[in-house]
Amino acid sequence: MKVRTLILGAGAAGLMCAAHAGPDTLVVDHARAPGEKIRISGGGRCNFTNLYTEPDRFLGENPHFHKSALARYTQWDFIDLVDRHSIAWHEKTLGQLFCDGKATQIVAMLLAEAEKAGARLWLGAEIGAVGHADGRFTCRITREGKPVDVVADNLVLATGGKSIPKMGASGLAYDLARQFGLSLTQTRPALVPFTFDAGRFAELSGTAVQARVGNDRHSFDEAMLFTHRGLSGPAVLQISSYWREGEDVVVDLLPGADAAQDLRAARQKVGRRAVTTALAQHLPARLVSHIAGQIDLTGNLADLSDARIDTIAESLHRWHLRPTGTEGYRTAEVTLGGIDTNGLDSRTMMAHHLRGLYAIGEAVDVTGWLGGYNFQWAWSSGVAAGRAIAGA
Ligand SMILES: Cc1cc2nc3c(=O)[nH]c(=O)nc-3n(C[C@H](O)[C@H](O)[C@H](O)COP(=O)(O)OP(=O)(O)OC[C@H]3O[C@@H](n4cnc5c(N)ncnc54)[C@H](O)[C@@H]3O)c2cc1C
């Protein structure tokens, strides 16, 4: 069977590419339903883009690579598409846009767009050997138990990253990229909770605080959640992309405040108040008890010397924590790293050295912050490849 374009992966990027790649496109996926990560994303409401999408909110070895695609298909273009499909949405926080209804509306929209473009979709299909000969790609696909050899002018790698293997994530895009001579950068789980020694935060499990979590590279002011296994919540997921094993993260439990100054003022005004009571006005009581296990919070405010106030303030503003690791690909929202962008054209996503080979979406070494940025990369890179194929 001969097609013009074969897209491997019917996820966010693959479907978006299919909607733009022109006629005679076949999209193949081993899952029984397309866009499964879209369906479960954003708690079932899909955080489909971010109003503040800017290149500096993406990580990758080449910090410039993603600029072109993001500029040529922006968050406003995607919002326009969503509006044209009459999908109601709202901004939740920090520019994050979610469906008012269900994430499946976004999947349905992408399927409608791909169908309008004439693309065919094979689900539950196993991708076997892939090759390249005489300027064409060949792919053995097993569909409904029967092998089909597909020959294509263009091959798009859109099978995503390694996060959540239970949902069908595989390393296929990386294996094929390597097979066709593209390099890979190191991959690791990102946007992922931190783990700590057993029971480290067990007594705090379920407690959330607004915190600034950071290191020398970045810091994020968002919610932080204590869990049975460690730390989670948006601020922690964000910094996980900038963290490496063996490093500390520094937590500011009172971002924007000056704890030393505030404690001195309180000592003056309400000196007979217990230190723990004073702190519990700004932090959850359970957290104050936990901190009291690490530093001396006994006595009243009036008992505090300036030096003790400085020690307490330092502990609240610069709480050094060293995770033992992360929850890994089991729960990571994305994979950091991937197909080395040095081998790809930033305007078209096509491999420099092999005409007709494209890589898009999470498989590529471009990773966004939490908050709709990763879908925007899937849309932008999918459109870049699709338009290039359609115009080629
Ligand atoms: C729980 C969760 C919530 C998320 N929420 C958000 C959010 O709200 N906003 C946001 O911006 N990002 C979110 N993300 C990240 C986002 O889902 C991904 O960045 C995005 O889906 C990547 O798109 P993609 O098309 O590259 O890969 P995917 O969407 O993962 O699509 C890849 C497709 O390839 C198929 N495939 C994989 N291996 C094979 C194989 N061997 N053979 C055949 N088919 C294969 C898969 O079945 C899948 O359909 C979330 C991720 C997770 C895990």
Side-chain angles (χ1 to χ4, degrees), residues 57-60 190-191 241 334-337 364-369 374:
R57 279 138 197 245
F58 294 82
L59 298 85
L191 298 182
S241 301
V334 282
T335 305
L336 194 69
V364 177
D365 176 24
V366 174
T367 306
W369 284 4
N374 285 295

Side-chain angles (χ1 to χ4, degrees), residues 290-312:
H290 182 85
I291 296 167
Q294 337 248 316
I295 53 166
D296 181 11
L297 297 182
T298 53
N300 293 337
L301 288 168
D303 304 330
L304 291 179
S305 64
D306 279 349
R308 258 187 83 200
I309 283 186
D310 289 342
T311 307
I312 295 170

